[in-house]
Amino acid sequence: MNVEIYRTDDMPPALRDDLAVWDSRIFQEEGDLWNWETTREWTVVVFEGDIWTSALQLLFRTIRVGEYPLTVGGVGGVMTKPDFRRQGYAAAAMHKSAEFLCGKAAFGLLVCAPEMAHYYAGLGWQQVNNVVTFDQLDGQKHAFPPTTGVLIYNCSGEVWPEGDIDLAGLPW
């Protein structure tokens, strides 16, 4: 197993295209209510030999937690090809991404389906119960349902601020 971090724009085009196809298969559900951030600066890819098995994307953004501006490393688009699931590939990508984002931000932040929160908690992410709002293309603020998994990775030992989370842009 080999884990690589690419600046997304500098990835080999064939790999970038293949990841985009899989991303649309896995995440683009018919009738999805939200527009999602598509500009993610970094991509973490796990390989077994020459085959990519798992990937995720990272972005860095200043959000607001309560009245406090906070730069976070956002993790999104975590995916593993079906034949490689439950073999530690996504965990390897998450560990590598945590190392990387901790060099650039005090916290990591990810939003996930409720049934996935336990998985990320097992990798050292901590669930928070803040309301999460985000922008949409209609110019309005929207909020994730309260059952949505919202987890942070504490890189700094700082205390996570109190208050609602405003992603200050599209969700990732």
Side-chain angles (χ1 to χ4, degrees), residues 6 8 21 23 42 47 59 63 89 107 121 127 135 159 166:
Y6 296 95
T8 302
V21 168
D23 182 75
W42 301 94
F47 293 92
L59 60 75
I63 65 171
Y89 294 108
F107 293 95
Q127 184 135 9
D135 299 334
V159 175
D166 179 353

Side-chain angles (χ1 to χ4, degrees), residues 14-109:
L15 176 60
R16 185 174 48 244
D17 293 347
D18 196 35
L19 290 173
V21 168
W22 278 91
D23 182 75
S24 67
R25 284 183 194 165
I26 293 171
F27 295 110
Q28 306 304 320
E29 296 180 19
E30 190 172 321
D32 193 354
L33 299 175
W34 313 119
N35 296 100
W36 295 85
E37 181 63 63
T38 57
T39 307
R40 297 173 182 147
E41 188 176 5
W42 301 94
T43 303
V44 179
V45 185
V46 182
F47 293 92
E48 189 62 58
D50 293 338
I51 300 169
W52 78 266
T53 60
S54 191
L56 60 80
Q57 294 184 311
L58 302 170
L59 60 75
F60 292 89
R61 182 187 292 170
T62 300
I63 65 171
R64 294 195 75 75
V65 183
E67 294 302 314
Y68 184 67
L70 185 66
T71 299
V72 297
V75 176
V78 180
M79 61 181 169
T80 302
K81 289 180 177 177
D83 290 347
F84 296 96
R85 291 181 181 159
R86 300 187 184 279
Q87 298 177 46
Y89 294 108
M94 289 297 295
H95 289 304
K96 187 74 162 187
S97 67
E99 288 175 17
F100 182 77
L101 69 86
C102 285
K104 299 178 180 299
F107 293 95
L109 177 77

